[in-house]
Amino acid sequence: MKYLPLAIALAIVLPLGARNAGAQAQAPDGQVLYRENCRSCHGTTGVPTPRMAALYKNLVALDSAYLTGRSEDSIVAVLQSGIGRDMKSYKEKLTPEQMHAVAAYLSVLAKPATP
């Protein structure tokens, strides 16, 4: 017999499709995206290193003082369009979902450390 019975073929193919569908549905990890795209300028904890602060005079610390009162959408807008010559746009590098994940992660950085 040249063809697999339908039940056997479905038993092989369906789990593969379900596995791929689950991978596609997984939400982006804002912390990982921040580390890969933002950390080099804004620092691991949202505070720029002295070297980066010297290179970019308008580089802000992504701390509670800066992030308070800024919505996730306003942060996404900055990621989409950039800021002048100092911060490039990430619209070609990150999807809107990834930008929202980064913005959500910034709220974690904005919280003061608990003792």
Side-chain angles (χ1 to χ4, degrees), residues 24-27 35 39 47 51 55 73 81 86 90 94 102 111 115:
Q24 292 171 353
Q26 185 176 1
R35 188 173 50 239
R39 179 183 65 175
V47 178
R51 178 178 175 267
L55 283 172
D73 288 337
S81 60
D86 289 341
Y90 280 82
L94 299 175
V102 170
K111 291 181 183 176

Side-chain angles (χ1 to χ4, degrees), residues 26-45:
Q26 185 176 1
D29 186 333
Q31 182 177 15
V32 170
L33 291 165
Y34 177 88
R35 188 173 50 239
E36 292 171 352
N37 297 283
C38 312
R39 179 183 65 175
S40 62
C41 290
H42 291 282
T44 303
T45 61

Side-chain angles (χ1 to χ4, degrees), residues 6 8 12 15 34 37 47 50 53 57-58 64 74 77 79 94-95 97 100:
L6 181 59
I8 294 173
I12 294 170
Y34 177 88
N37 297 283
V47 178
K57 301 295 183 201
N58 296 324
S64 60
S74 69
L79 289 169
L94 299 175
T95 66
E97 294 80 17
H100 279 279

Side-chain angles (χ1 to χ4, degrees), residues 57-87:
K57 301 295 183 201
N58 296 324
L59 184 60
V60 298
L62 301 173
D63 56 10
S64 60
Y66 178 77
L67 294 170
T68 299
R70 287 184 169 74
S71 69
E72 186 174 305
D73 288 337
S74 69
I75 294 166
V76 169
V78 169
L79 289 169
Q80 287 176 337
S81 60
I83 300 176
R85 292 184 295 178
D86 289 341
M87 183 176 159

